[in-house]
Amino acid sequence: MNTKVWKVDKSVDNLESNPQVVDAANFLRDNEVVALPTETVYGLGGNAESDVAVAKIFAAKGRPSDNPLIIHIADKKQLSTFVAEVPDKAEVLMEAFWPGPLTIIFKKKEGVLAESATAGLATVAVRMPDHPVALALLKCCGLPIAAPSANSSGKPSPTNAQHVLDDLNGKIAGVIDGGATGIGVESTVIDCTEAIPVILRPGGVTKEQLKAVIGEVRVDAALTDEAARPKAPGMKYQHYAPNAPLYMVSGTTQFLQSLVEEKQTAGLRVGVLTTEEQVDVLEADVVLACGKREELETVATALYDTLRKFNLKQVDIIFSEVFPNEGVGNAIMNRLQKAAGNKLIAE
């Protein structure tokens, strides 16, 4: 398959009528899959009402079929076609954070969306992306679009069009190159079908921000239970992994350095994921800075790109420092834990 690339400048006017966007929208209407930029990561979009299109998403990614997909919309009015009810707290969250990096779980109407898009669950995950190209594409095609991250399943999510092509060139109909994404980690997923909303995946909207708007929220224990059936994407299976084994390291800089030297003595080529504050302090075969520790948003933005860079450096093992489990640090640590398969070395 020849993967078409449409380059679209997100800053231009009238994106909805842009010939590149219109062409990509036609592909979606024909039940092809198209990668598109969002404010979080690039998504792999397909018609959420078509089992044919959804099957192409799963095939391209190599994604397990019991992992539900997020449905992307451009207008809240679209919810009425496939959502059974919109709780009051969900209304408040949409008003506060849509468009934006927040996915909300609703009870779904049966018989509208492709059953494969929701993995047979009675619920559906929905978000409205905060990216002008994504919104233009959604409006232009007029469809609810199922869109997981546009990468091979289990690998780091793509934050630019080249990442998409590295994984999926020849496997998908096309990719809209809208430049680099901003936030860098996926949306927060919150289940609003219960009296007290439950965070199913930490992401671009923090727990603290959610509590400030709707009060009490819970964090689902299934985030750490691999045996639980996923109610939302990102809750099952190892994700975001670079080619080399990744280990999180909790301890001093000296402890991390000692681990590096131990593996080098054993003949391994060692990589270290750290921050700008530490990049000149640590010594290894490859030391990559992933944002600034004092500005965790920069770590989130750079995380997947940094993990992918290690693949180009041909390291045998990677050690990563850990980050505070607060604010966006929750999302960073969630992704690192998934990438490392929860492998942690503590001093």
Side-chain angles (χ1 to χ4, degrees):
M1 178 187 295
N2 180 42
T3 298
K4 191 168 185 177
V5 178
W6 300 278
K7 195 165 183 65
V8 179
D9 182 351
K10 66 181 181 181
S11 66
V12 303
D13 295 330
N14 303 316
L15 278 171
E16 205 173 325
S17 59
N18 182 290
Q20 305 276 66
V21 172
V22 171
D23 194 29
N26 287 333
F27 273 69
L28 290 172
R29 290 195 200 94
D30 289 338
N31 292 333
E32 297 293 348
V33 293
V34 171
L36 62 144
T38 79
E39 80 282 21
T40 56
V41 300
Y42 271 68
L44 184 58
N47 180 3
E49 297 176 353
S50 166
D51 280 304
V52 171
V54 174
K56 290 179 180 179
I57 293 173
F58 283 112
K61 285 180 61 70
R63 183 184 174 103
S65 61
D66 66 345
N67 210 352
L69 306 179
I70 292 174
I71 311 304
H72 292 63
I73 61 173
D75 191 322
K76 285 196 295 184
K77 293 177 182 177
Q78 292 176 272
L79 288 175
S80 63
T81 63
F82 58 87
V83 166
E85 61 180 276
V86 178
D88 290 342
K89 287 184 179 179
E91 285 280 9
V92 174
L93 289 172
M94 288 187 289
E95 182 65 28
F97 299 111
W98 278 15
L102 181 69
T103 294
I104 302 174
I105 304 285
F106 301 93
K107 293 178 181 177
K108 72 175 184 182
K109 286 183 180 178
E110 295 295 336
V112 179
L113 300 173
E115 195 70 8
S116 52
T118 57
L121 299 175
T123 54
V124 57
V126 189
R127 92 173 186 100
M128 185 187 297
D130 188 16
H131 192 289
V133 175
L135 289 173
L137 181 66
L138 290 165
K139 291 174 183 176
C140 187
C141 73
L143 296 167
I145 296 298
S149 55
N151 57 298
S152 296
S153 189
K155 297 303 179 183
S157 298
T159 54
N160 61 53
Q162 186 57 52
H163 291 165
V164 178
L165 293 169
D166 288 344
D167 282 12
L168 302 179
N169 193 16
K171 298 180 180 180
I172 62 176
V175 53
I176 300 178
D177 183 352
T181 62
I183 293 172
V185 293
E186 293 84 352
S187 61
T188 300
V189 178
I190 187 165
D191 185 352
C192 283
T193 65
E194 302 183 24
I196 299 175
V198 183
I199 296 172
L200 303 183
R201 180 178 74 185
V205 176
T206 67
K207 178 182 178 182
E208 294 81 0
Q209 289 174 309
L210 294 169
K211 289 178 67 175
V213 172
I214 58 170
E216 185 180 4
V217 297
R218 294 193 295 113
V219 176
D220 197 289
L223 278 170
T224 56
D225 183 1
E226 291 294 321
R229 189 178 189 195
K231 293 179 71 177
M235 290 184 66
K236 197 171 183 182
Y237 309 108
Q238 183 167 330
H239 290 288
Y240 322 118
N243 294 341
L246 172 69
Y247 292 81
M248 298 174 291
V249 178
S250 176
T252 62
T253 301
Q254 292 75 16
F255 177 66
L256 197 162
Q257 185 66 53
S258 71
L259 294 175
V260 171
E261 292 168 3
E262 176 187 325
K263 294 301 180 184
Q264 287 179 322
T265 300
L268 298 183
R269 183 171 165 82
V270 183
V272 173
L273 186 154
T274 185
T275 53
E276 291 182 20
E277 291 91 336
Q278 290 281 90
V279 72
D280 294 326
V281 177
L282 290 157
E283 294 184 3
D285 296 282
V286 178
V287 181
L288 296 181
C290 182
K292 298 179 180 179
R293 190 172 186 87
E294 295 303 314
E295 299 174 21
L296 289 181
E297 292 79 7
T298 65
V299 176
T301 299
L303 181 60
Y304 294 142
D305 185 57
T306 305
L307 290 174
R308 284 178 174 266
K309 284 178 179 175
F310 280 113
N311 294 343
L312 303 176
K313 302 294 185 179
Q314 299 180 326
V315 295
D316 299 308
I317 189 171
I318 304 166
F319 293 121
S320 172
E321 66 176 87
V322 297
F323 298 91
N325 256 314
E326 56 188 38
V328 74
N330 281 319
I332 294 167
M333 286 305 300
N334 172 264
R335 304 317 192 269
L336 278 176
Q337 286 161 0
K338 287 288 185 182
N342 289 311
K343 297 188 294 291
L344 173 71
I345 302 174
E347 188 170 11

